[in-house]
Amino acid sequence: MLAFEDKPVLDGISFSLAHGETKAIFGVAGSGKSTLLKLAMGLVRPDEGRIFVLGNDITRMREEELFELRRQIGMVFQESALFDSLTVRDNVAYRLMEEGDVSEQEINTRVREALSFVELEHTIDKLPSELSGGMRRRVAIARAIITHPEILLYDSPAGGLDPVTSTTIIELIVKQRDVYKTSSLLVTHRLQDAFVMASHYFDKQANRMLPLSPGAKGDVPIGFLILRDGKIIFDGDVQQLSHSRDEYIREYIS
Amino acid sequence: MGAGNLLTNLELISPADFIKQKVQSVQDYALLAAQAVGNLFRRPLYVADMVQQADLIGWGSMPIIILAGAASGAVLALNSASTLQRFGSLGLIAQLVSVGMVRQLGPIITGLMVAGRNASGMASELGSMMVTEQIDAMRALGTDPTKKLVTPRVVATVFMLFFLTIISDLFGLVGGAMVAVLMLGLDSHQFWTSSWQILAFQDVFTGLVQPIFYGFIIATVGCSKHYRLSRRRAGF
Ligand SMILES: Nc1ncnc2c1ncn2[C@@H]1O[C@H](COP(=O)(O)OP(=O)(O)OP(=O)(O)O)[C@@H](O)[C@H]1O
Ligand SMILES: [Mg+2]
């Protein structure tokens, strides 16, 4: 449980994320989705309850120990949170430069690799202020994946973007899921994005996202989680979601 | 309706809570100040950020410090000239300007200028990094924001304020000398020798210890606003 100024934001939340699984988290604005991700990252501490990440209880960990753990987790913030005084290259390379023992040459190759993953190699010397919102979001994804973390936390990566760009970003997330088998939590406002993720897989040969053959639904590792008033009201897969009888959920998915 | 809201808001704070808040903010400040110094002895040390801040604070403040120093030296000389003249001891003006600048005026003027120019800038810079989640992102990427942001600012301010004070003292004397030579008709060589000779170790020492404290206070206060904001997001 976590309360800000005596007002509980999340209460009685309990769920787990399987290895390689992607869990899509829904909820209306202010339902605590971003807070949930920050809890998982150890950026905020719960007032009560315990959180386990990669087998470690992070609730009582000191900040220094958390830094160790956070090396295995990548996070894409809601508003991208790029460092606006640094170029795209330095933003993406931030974590590598922070670790110190990586050579300049290796940093360059890995930055290019990460930027080519999000198809933004040409922006390498730009400042975040010179990029569009969608490009910033993709740079933020590149920054999060550069160390190939075991867990990725995406906070509304496609929020506020046009359908074309948002499909590009969803495709990136599917690629990350199916090619690198990263476990991830994905906060999104758009249910259809999550349905796309549940009905498509990433084809390495074609280098793009393809629909699953009919009848194979549920083969891709994706779960759904719906938050309401600080509680989880749904936790399950696509089939369970489309067969749910709950009024609120029906309204949400329609 | 606005006034009603304000009243209920005010009524909500009980005296005990009020005191608790104040004590809390003093405690936060003390903690931040201690951390800013403690970080100097812990890896990693962000030297590049220190240099960048020093450039921003030191080099950037140079023109205004020179101007303010020279102006206050000149005013000091002008102001005391009439009094000294009445006692027929105009020759003492060099000593007066020199001791006045080095002991008190130099450090104070420099401190005020740097505080005005940089402290509010630090508060708003860190505040905006806070709302755009850059501070959270920093922590997520394995950097301690007090190490990366606060310590370099404190070190740079202390270091630069020390040298800026010396420059301000120097230009205070230049300002004083201009007034003495051009307006009061004194000999410039004599002005410089007597202003130099009057300075005792004590004067210089007090004059140069002050900027160290001022610099520390300016930078920690400038950074502490954001620190208070972030305390609620525990683990900072
Ligand atoms: N640092 C904070 N201090 C006080 N309250 C906070 C803080 N962070 C979040 N909250 C509160 O917690 C609640 C949940 O916020 P959160 O950002 O997690 O919502 P969200 O589900 O991500 O919403 P959105 O879809 O708009 O991004 C909100 O009511 C918000 O006011
Ligand atoms: Mg949010």
Side-chain angles (χ1 to χ4, degrees):
Chain A
M1 189 205 91
L2 172 87
F4 284 114
E5 329 228 301
D6 308 328
K7 190 176 66 67
V9 172
L10 295 171
D11 189 4
I13 299 283
S14 176
F15 70 95
S16 61
L17 180 69
H19 186 75
E21 187 193 16
T22 291
K23 200 152 236 167
I25 303 173
F26 302 95
V28 294
S31 53
K33 306 180 295 297
S34 301
T35 309
L36 191 67
L37 293 196
K38 286 183 185 166
L39 280 165
M41 195 66 173
L43 296 173
V44 190
R45 279 173 210 268
D47 296 322
E48 280 168 35
R50 305 212 288 165
I51 302 168
F52 288 86
V53 176
L54 296 169
N56 304 286
D57 184 354
I58 63 166
T59 352
R60 298 278 164 267
M61 263 191 186
R62 289 184 304 119
E63 186 82 354
E64 289 85 49
E65 298 169 315
L66 282 171
F67 283 144
E68 233 359 80
L69 187 71
R70 285 184 194 140
R71 294 173 63 177
Q72 299 164 54
I73 312 176
M75 183 158 182
V76 179
F77 285 84
Q78 191 159 5
E79 308 292 344
S80 307
L82 299 178
F83 303 123
D84 42 33
S85 56
L86 302 181
T87 61
V88 167
R89 177 199 177 267
D90 291 350
N91 262 289
V92 176
Y94 190 88
R95 185 166 231 154
L96 295 177
M97 297 201 289
E98 200 58 14
E99 286 174 7
D101 49 4
V102 192
S103 74
E104 200 65 16
Q105 190 152 24
E106 194 186 341
I107 290 182
N108 281 331
T109 22
R110 287 177 68 180
V111 167
R112 289 201 175 275
E113 185 194 342
L115 280 176
S116 77
F117 184 84
V118 297
E119 291 163 7
L120 278 179
E121 283 155 296
H122 56 285
T123 64
I124 192 159
D125 290 320
K126 293 206 156 101
L127 284 171
S129 56
E130 297 169 304
L131 302 180
S132 77
M135 289 158 110
R136 262 180 246 163
R137 217 62 74 79
R138 275 143 68 199
V139 173
I141 293 177
R143 180 174 73 176
I145 60 168
I146 190 159
T147 48
H148 302 300
E150 302 209 8
I151 302 179
L152 273 165
L153 308 170
Y154 304 95
D155 196 345
S156 319
L161 298 177
D162 62 277
V164 177
T165 316
S166 106
T167 309
T168 317
I169 286 176
I170 293 302
E171 191 168 358
L172 288 176
I173 296 170
V174 171
K175 186 169 164 189
Q176 187 69 30
R177 176 191 72 189
D178 295 347
V179 177
Y180 296 98
K181 312 277 182 229
T182 317
S183 325
S184 57
L185 289 178
L186 166 76
V187 168
T188 163
H189 293 100
R190 289 158 41 99
L191 207 63
Q192 65 260 47
D193 285 347
F195 281 136
V196 169
M197 292 185 66
S199 58
H200 288 67
Y201 72 102
F202 194 84
D203 191 299
K204 253 200 224 173
Q205 263 87 50
N207 194 31
R208 63 196 194 88
M209 189 163 71
L210 296 174
L212 288 167
S213 49
K217 265 196 180 179
D219 269 354
V220 286
I222 182 158
F224 293 78
L225 202 73
I226 302 181
L227 291 179
R228 185 191 187 186
D229 299 334
K231 298 207 179 351
I232 293 180
I233 56 166
F234 178 85
D235 183 4
D237 63 20
V238 158
Q239 263 99 22
Q240 286 168 307
L241 183 65
S242 47
H243 294 127
S244 167
R245 291 189 192 291
D246 189 292
E247 292 268 314
Y248 184 80
I249 296 173
R250 293 232 66 90
E251 194 189 331
Y252 202 102
I253 60 177
S254 62
Chain B
M1 197 196 92
N5 269 341
L6 195 64
L7 274 182
T8 43
N9 278 344
L10 284 178
E11 277 162 10
L12 276 177
I13 303 174
S14 73
D17 280 347
F18 180 78
I19 291 171
K20 220 157 61 188
Q21 270 175 23
K22 295 296 154 201
V23 172
Q24 183 85 57
S25 59
V26 171
Q27 186 187 329
D28 285 348
Y29 174 76
L31 213 69
L32 178 76
Q35 265 183 28
V37 178
N39 284 340
L40 282 177
F41 306 101
R42 271 184 242 122
R43 304 298 98 183
L45 204 60
Y46 294 94
V47 180
D49 293 88
M50 288 178 194
V51 173
Q52 196 200 357
Q53 285 299 321
D55 180 50
L56 210 71
I57 297 164
W59 194 240
S61 308
M62 202 75 95
I64 192 142
I65 292 298
I66 289 177
L67 213 67
S72 46
V75 167
L76 193 60
L78 262 183
N79 229 1
S80 28
S82 60
T83 321
L84 288 175
Q85 212 147 27
R86 207 172 299 162
F87 296 103
S89 42
L90 199 58
L92 283 178
I93 202 150
Q95 283 93 322
L96 202 140
V97 171
S98 152
V99 172
M101 274 314 288
V102 171
R103 265 191 92 101
Q104 278 301 338
L105 227 44
I108 297 258
I109 298 265
T110 318
L112 282 176
M113 291 293 156
V114 170
R117 215 181 145 269
N118 297 103
S120 54
M122 282 179 203
S124 63
E125 186 188 3
L126 298 192
S128 97
M129 288 186 79
M130 191 81 221
V131 278
T132 54
E133 295 185 314
Q134 287 179 56
I135 305 241
D136 276 341
M138 206 170 258
R139 291 172 60 207
L141 293 170
T143 305
D144 180 345
T146 53
K147 279 190 196 140
K148 175 93 179 164
L149 300 173
V150 180
T151 302
R153 279 168 177 74
V154 172
V155 170
T157 313
V158 169
F159 193 75
M160 288 328 264
L161 200 59
F162 183 84
F163 290 104
L164 286 173
T165 303
I166 296 178
I167 289 172
S168 145
D169 290 349
L170 201 71
F171 277 87
L173 283 174
V174 170
M178 298 251 260
V179 168
V181 175
L182 299 179
M183 297 178 66
L184 307 171
L186 296 180
D187 175 49
S188 86
H189 179 72
Q190 201 189 341
F191 182 95
W192 285 107
T193 24
S194 43
S195 64
W196 176 248
Q197 275 164 356
I198 187 74
L199 286 179
F201 172 76
Q202 188 72 36
D203 301 320
V204 180
F205 184 76
T206 37
L208 291 184
V209 166
Q210 285 174 70
I212 295 176
F213 286 97
Y214 294 162
F216 185 75
I217 291 169
I218 290 168
T220 43
V221 168
C223 295
S224 70
K225 188 166 169 65
H226 118 93
Y227 184 74
R228 206 159 49 235
L229 270 170
S230 56
R231 191 181 51 80
R232 260 183 266 135
R233 331 190 122 208
F236 191 92

